């Protein structure tokens, strides 16, 4: 082989190497926090849409653009992932409630804001209501395993108790009002309306999903809550 031929062969080989390097996909940097968050978000959508039994791990992995191995790595199994979804869903509403700063508000204003916040959160997060319905079908079987959720609710009840005590001290609220009963009143009025909005709209021939109807019901929740605790 002549020197010119050898040079030509070497040039061709180098060109092939350069082409391989050029088309080789770039290595994706690992981001555990992002992957964890994407799996959790995808699982929330899947469980909310199909319940625990109907949700598929393959579908969750596909939604999260990852594989089942990563899902099991972060959450253990399907049950572990479902419990993580429940905990994250409750954490979202509890963390948002903290911004209401109930301890520093006028008692009646604080109760009004808590009632409206809860209603608006239900409206903005229909997946929360779906997950609650699913877990109630299982008699809170999975939720009972969580110590985190119990701790979250104790904070809410402590703050609500403080608001009620301050209202009682000023003569605004009745004595001895149970904070859990108050919260159940707020949550029940919102949950029932939204869970049955389609059937009730049909039965009463009223569009309960219109913005005016939703706003009016929010004010109704406030009025009923305050009426139940005023002195």
């Amino acid at each position: 082989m002549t020197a010119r031929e050898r040079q030509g062969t070497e040039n061709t080989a180098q060109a092939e190497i350069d082409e391989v390097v050029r088309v080789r996909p770039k290595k994706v940097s690992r981001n555990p926090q992002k992957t964890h968050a994407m799996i959790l978000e995808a699982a929330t959508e899947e469980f909310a849409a199909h319940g625990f039994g109907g949700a598929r791990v393959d579908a969750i992995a596909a939604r999260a653009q990852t594989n089942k191995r990563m899902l099991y790595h972060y959450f253990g199994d399907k049950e572990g992932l479902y419990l993580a979804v429940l905990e994250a869903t409750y954490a979202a509403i509890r963390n948002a409630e903290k911004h209401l700063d109930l301890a520093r508000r006028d008692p009646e204003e604080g109760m009004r804001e808590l009632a409206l916040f809860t209603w608006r959160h239900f409206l903005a997060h229909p997946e929360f209501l779906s997950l609650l319905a699913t877990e109630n079908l299982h008699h809170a079987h999975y939720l009972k395993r969580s110590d985190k959720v119990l701790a979250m609710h104790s904070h809410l009840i402590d703050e609500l108790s403080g608001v009620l005590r301050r209202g009682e001290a000023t003569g605004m609220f009745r004595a001895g009002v149970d904070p859990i009963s108050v919260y159940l009143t707020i949550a029940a009025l919102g949950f029932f309306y939204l869970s049955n909005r389609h059937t009730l709209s049909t039965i009463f021939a009223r569009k309960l999903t219109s913005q005016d109807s939703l706003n009016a019901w929010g004010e109704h929740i406030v009025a009923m809550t305050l009426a139940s605790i005023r002195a």
Side-chain angles (χ1 to χ4, degrees):
M1 180 181 293
T2 65
R4 179 177 296 180
E5 289 173 335
R6 282 197 301 270
Q7 184 64 44
T9 300
E10 291 172 359
N11 290 343
T12 300
Q14 185 61 47
E16 291 175 349
I17 292 172
D18 291 343
E19 179 64 16
V20 169
V21 172
R22 184 182 67 80
V23 301
R24 181 183 297 160
K26 294 181 179 180
K27 186 178 180 180
V28 178
S29 61
R30 294 184 177 181
N31 188 332
Q33 290 182 333
K34 182 178 180 181
T35 301
H36 184 281
M38 289 177 65
I39 293 173
L40 200 59
E41 180 180 354
T44 299
E45 295 173 357
E46 181 73 9
F47 286 125
H50 303 291
F52 178 79
R56 294 174 52 248
V57 173
D58 286 333
I60 294 171
R63 283 177 185 262
Q65 299 179 11
T66 186
N67 54 60
K68 291 193 293 185
R69 182 179 61 81
M70 294 304 294
L71 188 151
Y72 294 135
H73 170 71
Y74 286 113
F75 299 98
D77 54 20
K78 182 179 178 181
E79 292 188 1
L81 178 55
Y82 176 67
L83 180 56
V85 165
L86 288 176
E87 290 176 339
T89 303
Y90 274 105
I93 187 171
R94 295 289 89 92
N95 290 335
E97 283 166 346
K98 292 178 182 178
H99 294 293
L100 295 175
D101 199 15
L102 297 179
R104 298 178 183 272
R105 288 182 178 271
D106 169 81
E108 187 164 310
E109 178 190 5
M111 291 305 308
R112 173 181 175 80
E113 289 304 308
L114 177 61
L116 286 178
F117 165 82
T118 304
W119 171 238
R120 290 166 181 165
H121 189 87
F122 286 0
L123 290 173
H125 297 278
E127 74 281 0
F128 181 45
L129 303 186
S130 296
L131 291 167
L132 287 180
T134 293
E135 187 58 8
N136 275 290
L137 288 175
H138 292 281
H139 303 283
H141 174 74
Y142 299 100
L143 199 61
K144 289 174 182 176
R145 303 180 185 179
S146 175
D147 294 328
K148 294 180 181 179
V149 172
L150 294 177
M152 294 176 204
H153 279 70
S154 65
H155 174 81
L156 169 67
I157 296 304
D158 286 346
E159 286 218 338
L160 184 51
S161 296
V163 173
L164 293 171
R165 285 196 300 269
R166 288 189 290 110
E168 178 184 339
T170 63
M172 186 182 301
F173 298 156
R174 291 185 294 104
V177 175
D178 178 18
I180 294 179
S181 294
V182 174
Y183 187 76
L184 288 177
T185 298
I186 295 170
L189 288 169
F191 188 90
F192 180 86
Y193 186 105
L194 293 176
S195 297
N196 298 276
R197 62 193 182 279
H198 300 300
T199 53
L200 293 175
S201 292
T202 300
I203 292 170
F204 296 118
R206 178 183 296 181
K207 191 175 181 181
L208 298 180
T209 55
S210 72
Q211 193 59 55
D212 287 345
S213 294
L214 295 175
N215 291 341
W217 191 254
E219 292 298 329
H220 181 71
I221 294 175
V222 171
M224 291 296 293
T225 302
L226 290 175
S228 71
I229 63 176
R230 282 194 177 114

